Amino acid sequence: MGSMSIPSGVLWGCQTQRSIKNFPIGGPESKMPLPIVHAQALLKKCCAKYNLEKGKLTEEVGRGIIAAADRIMSGDLDAHFPLVIYQTGSGTQTNMNVNEVLSNYAILTLNGTVGSKSPVHPNDHCNMGQSSNDSFPTAMHISCAKVISEVTLVGLRKLLEGLRKKSEEFEGVIKIGRTHCQDATPLTLGQEFSGYAKQVEYGIERVERAMGGLMRLALGGTAVGTGLNTQKGYDAEIAALIAEETGLPFITAPNKFEALAAHDSIVEMSGSLNVVAVSLNKIANDLRLLGSGPRSGLGEISLPENEPGSSIMPGKVNPTQCEAITMVCAQVMGNNTVITVGGAQGHFELNVFKPVMCASLLHSARLIGDAARCFTDNCITGIVANEDRIKELVNSSLMLVTALNPHIGYDAASKIAKNAHKKGISLKESAVESGHLSGEDYDKWIVPDNMVGPK
């Protein structure tokens, strides 16, 4: 391939420019996520440290690469990474974009000429001992693990704490349960919220388990997993350097062929986030239904009134936080489909959906963490139980009749409930009318407080 002129004022080189020309796909939403770029800079910093220590790089070149990597990780050079997700499936062009910026920035600091590849060469020095096939999946794992640990899990743990507090706050509030969207037997509002808290807790546990797969790094496999152009022990030492740099317990992948050819750990993490999305969607929908009204719905709880809900209906307030987080859930479910399809595209020694898989997982991880935090701050903490309305609905429910089963049997109790509904009378009136029990029996046997747990 011939040379290609580079626009003035940029630090990328011909391979980056060629990718800009060949893949003009999408707008700002299609740009390669910067966490991947920063993760690649981090691993290249660690590789430069290793190669410097082993005498494979001169002090001048090694220190130049390390300083350039630090500058990339700081975010100061973000404008020099213009490529899109939709490029080669191995991420080679983004790998080279990072190599070229590292090279040219290091050259600048050494008073050289940008684009000269001297004294710091993008391939020979910045890419030393690496292939896109092992460095890009390593950057995938680093970037995803960092976002999940710093954003996703932080947000979910905050949501869990908020739900647990509400469960405790509502412990004594007895309400009617609902199954099939129909009246059921009583429970406490605290018990209902404890179910939501447990869903989030299980989700956190799933994500934490899936983190184990992301801790295994492909670096050291080079082109096909054999480790060509590296020396024994390189992979483990590099993983240790990356672990030290990030504070995360990264290790070298025990089998580099699997690490390059399959990205099951990415699929697994996406699946865990998909479960979390399903849980959050259920919780948010329950809350918007429980808070529906305020006068013509269930109205058992009041959600915070954060902003006007209508441009035409004065005083209307909508469950906007519930709507926002359920939209997030829909996006995460869609991203999971992309990742699932991508994970199935491993052909022989290489999966070629790396960029879109990583970008989709980063998107999901960030959305869930941010949405969980936002949902907690702007919805969960401000929920109020409308106890008068809750009592009204409990007392009018026909399913309190279930407490009569041990005393008069299912069939007789069923007739009492149906008669009350048909005639529009109270359950107590129908029970006494049936002749199976007295009013005193009814008051003794039907006590909602005694119906929220086993005897």
Side-chain angles (χ1 to χ4, degrees), residues 4-316:
M4 177 175 287
S5 61
I6 306 304
S8 60
V10 299
L11 293 175
W12 64 72
C14 61
Q15 294 212 44
T16 303
Q17 190 63 27
R18 190 172 288 112
S19 184
I20 293 172
K21 176 183 177 182
N22 290 339
F23 301 97
I25 301 172
E29 80 290 340
S30 297
K31 295 296 183 184
M32 183 66 69
L34 288 169
I36 299 177
V37 170
H38 297 163
Q40 283 224 297
L42 185 149
L43 73 87
K44 289 178 185 297
K45 173 183 179 178
C46 293
C47 289
K49 282 184 175 181
Y50 172 89
N51 290 322
L52 183 60
E53 181 184 333
K54 301 298 182 183
K56 296 175 180 292
L57 292 175
T58 65
E59 190 75 17
E60 178 185 56
V61 171
R63 293 299 169 194
I65 294 172
I66 291 169
D70 282 333
R71 193 70 188 273
I72 291 174
M73 287 187 286
S74 75
D76 291 343
L77 303 181
D78 286 352
H80 297 275
F81 300 96
L83 301 189
V84 297
I85 298 163
Y86 308 103
Q87 52 171 276
T88 178
S90 62
T92 298
Q93 282 121 25
T94 288
N95 181 39
M96 284 309 304
N97 184 189
V98 175
N99 286 330
E100 288 173 341
V101 173
L102 283 170
S103 168
N104 283 323
Y105 185 83
I107 288 169
L108 271 181
T109 62
L110 297 171
N111 299 315
T113 302
V114 170
S116 66
K117 301 183 180 180
S118 178
V120 184
H121 195 284
N123 295 80
D124 295 340
H125 301 136
C126 300
N127 200 64
M128 180 182 288
Q130 304 159 51
S131 163
S132 300
N133 298 351
D134 70 342
S135 69
F136 195 88
T138 298
M140 291 167 65
H141 282 217
I142 294 171
S143 59
C144 289
K146 282 177 65 64
V147 170
I148 290 164
S149 62
E150 295 170 5
V151 180
T152 312
L153 288 170
V154 171
L156 288 175
R157 287 171 183 142
K158 182 170 192 175
L159 177 56
L160 174 59
E161 181 183 2
L163 289 169
R164 282 175 170 169
K165 286 182 178 179
K166 284 297 168 182
S167 178
E168 293 171 3
E169 179 184 337
F170 299 148
E171 183 179 6
V173 180
I174 297 172
K175 55 159 288 178
I176 201 66
R178 296 178 182 88
T179 58
H180 304 270
C181 288
Q182 304 294 306
D183 295 353
T185 55
L187 76 164
T188 69
L189 188 59
Q191 288 171 327
E192 196 164 41
F193 269 72
S194 77
Y196 304 148
K198 184 58 71 172
Q199 280 188 280
V200 175
E201 181 183 342
Y202 285 153
I204 291 170
E205 290 174 359
R206 287 184 178 95
V207 172
E208 289 175 336
R209 284 196 299 270
M211 281 286 278
L214 294 183
M215 293 300 108
R216 300 190 293 265
L217 301 181
L219 204 61
T222 64
V224 297
T226 60
L228 177 67
N229 288 352
T230 66
Q231 63 188 55
K232 288 184 178 180
Y234 161 82
D235 55 354
E237 290 189 49
I238 287 294
L241 287 170
I242 292 172
E244 181 181 357
E245 186 75 25
T246 60
L248 294 169
F250 289 111
I251 59 171
T252 189
N255 188 298
K256 305 302 186 298
F257 306 103
E258 181 272 341
L260 272 61
H263 292 311
D264 296 344
S265 57
I266 298 289
V267 177
E268 180 185 18
M269 179 57 79
S270 179
S272 297
L273 296 182
N274 193 62
V275 173
V276 171
V278 169
S279 297
L280 297 181
N281 198 82
K282 194 271 185 196
I283 295 166
N285 277 338
D286 274 12
L287 295 182
R288 75 165 119 194
L289 290 172
L290 290 172
S292 61
R295 294 191 175 181
S296 298
L298 295 180
E300 292 189 341
I301 62 173
S302 291
L303 305 178
E305 299 179 353
N306 296 326
E307 64 274 310
S310 173
S311 59
I312 189 173
M313 292 176 280
K316 193 173 193 296

Side-chain angles (χ1 to χ4, degrees), residues 325-336:
I325 201 166
T326 50
M327 284 192 284
V328 163
C329 293
Q331 183 65 62
V332 170
M333 293 172 194
N335 288 344
N336 186 57

Side-chain angles (χ1 to χ4, degrees), residues 333-353:
M333 293 172 194
N335 288 344
N336 186 57
T337 299
V338 172
I339 292 167
T340 301
V341 172
Q345 301 306 315
H347 300 136
F348 301 114
E349 277 63 63
L350 192 69
N351 177 289
V352 290
F353 268 55

